């Protein structure tokens, strides 16, 4: 499933760690927004990896599940391509 992940981390070091973790799971489409194609088990593991880096009362990481049909209807104005499900899955 397509997961749109956005984050706002106050600490520079924590923000960099969250960014590096997310880079391994999806495509960065905005400064703090990633599109990730994840299976439920992979999403759960990702949340576990991110949790220790979300500290303080102002930090947050948000996960938005986007259904397949909705993802197909995504549009982009400006730079970048709309999200497309990967044609090849590597296991």
């Amino acid at each position: 499933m397509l997961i749109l992940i956005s984050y706002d981390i106050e600490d520079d070091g924590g923000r960099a760690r969250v960014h590096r973790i997310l880079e391994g799971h999806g495509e960065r489409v905005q400064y703090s927004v990633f599109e990730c194609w994840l299976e439920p088990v992979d999403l759960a593991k990702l949340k576990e990896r991110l949790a220790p880096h979300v500290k303080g009362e102002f930090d947050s990481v948000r996960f938005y599940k986007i259904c397949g049909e909705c993802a197909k209807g995504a549009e982009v104005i400006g730079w970048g391509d709309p999200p497309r499900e990967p044609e090849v899955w590597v296991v």
Side-chain angles (χ1 to χ4, degrees):
M1 76 182 115
L2 176 61
I3 309 293
L4 183 70
I5 302 173
S6 67
Y7 62 93
D8 188 5
I9 307 293
E10 189 173 39
D11 174 69
D12 290 340
R15 187 170 46 254
R17 286 186 290 279
V18 166
H19 176 84
R20 278 193 301 275
I21 291 168
L22 290 173
E23 275 185 318
H25 294 342
E27 181 180 352
R28 180 179 175 191
V29 295
Q30 294 284 323
Y31 183 75
S32 60
V33 179
F34 280 77
E35 293 173 345
C36 305
W37 291 94
L38 301 170
E39 294 296 320
V41 67
D42 298 319
L43 177 58
K45 289 177 185 178
L46 177 59
K47 287 179 180 180
E48 286 179 21
R49 287 189 63 202
L50 291 169
H53 307 290
V54 181
K55 301 176 181 176
E57 63 181 289
F58 299 110
D59 289 357
S60 70
V61 178
R62 296 174 180 256
F63 303 84
Y64 300 92
K65 296 178 183 177
I66 310 222
C67 75
E69 287 304 309
C70 294
K72 289 178 187 175
E75 298 178 24
V76 175
I77 297 175
W79 181 88
D81 295 321
R84 297 290 176 237
E85 188 169 4
E87 293 179 18
V88 177
W89 288 90
V90 178
V91 180

